Amino acid sequence: PESIRKAGPFHGAGQTQFDFDFYMISPDDVVVIVADADDNESTLAKEKYTCALYPDQNTTPGGRVTLKTALAVGQKLAICSGVPNTQNLNLTMYGNFNPTSINKEEDRRVIQIQQIAERMRRCLIVPITSAKTPQQVLSEVLEIAATANEYAQQAKEIYESVKDDVAEIKALKNQIDGLVITFK
């Protein structure tokens, strides 16, 4: 089954330990991202946490990240993998074709593909025939949203004005109705 190469986002002021359940070859390839209350993200430096993998990644994949300083109020944390997009296995003609080394390199490939798939799940994708970049489409969407908010505010102001006018008209109608009754 396909592994989701992300754990979190975790919320929890004062929390220091966070578990993840995706297969990893090395704890050095685990990446920790922290976001502040305004969703500004930064990659946590390796010296600010430790990572321990479960002993048998095939049976129980994943591990635990332990922060050296607890997560602050308003912060969020996510754990993902950051296996470099490199090829580490070098097979030579007439050399040793160690199945363990080949399997490890194939595992790295799958992890790299899953990392790309995880990032793609968070991407804005434009139609292949579009001449616009994702950034252009996002800018347009944000501009439309801002305009919609502006129109909604104008509509609210008009509604409040009309609501006040209706109240005045009803009061005048009641006065006129009162006058009509007196003249009968």
Side-chain angles (χ1 to χ4, degrees), residues 43-79:
T43 301
L44 204 57
K46 297 277 186 194
E47 52 276 357
K48 296 196 176 201
Y49 66 93
T50 59
C51 178
L53 299 181
Y54 300 136
D56 186 353
Q57 288 292 298
N58 290 317
T59 305
T60 310
R64 174 172 284 172
V65 167
T66 304
L67 301 180
K68 294 184 178 175
T69 303
L71 200 62
V73 173
Q75 286 185 322
K76 294 181 280 190
L77 179 140
I79 302 168

Side-chain angles (χ1 to χ4, degrees), residues 25-99:
I25 296 170
S26 168
D28 292 334
D29 292 330
V30 171
V31 177
V32 177
I33 308 292
V34 176
D36 63 19
D38 295 325
D39 286 332
N40 298 310
E41 291 184 347
S42 61
T43 301
L44 204 57
K46 297 277 186 194
E47 52 276 357
K48 296 196 176 201
Y49 66 93
T50 59
C51 178
L53 299 181
Y54 300 136
D56 186 353
Q57 288 292 298
N58 290 317
T59 305
T60 310
R64 174 172 284 172
V65 167
T66 304
L67 301 180
K68 294 184 178 175
T69 303
L71 200 62
V73 173
Q75 286 185 322
K76 294 181 280 190
L77 179 140
I79 302 168
C80 60
S81 64
V83 173
N85 291 329
T86 57
Q87 190 269 342
N88 293 346
L89 183 62
N90 186 15
L91 299 174
T92 59
M93 189 72 106
Y94 310 112
N96 181 7
F97 291 85
N98 182 332

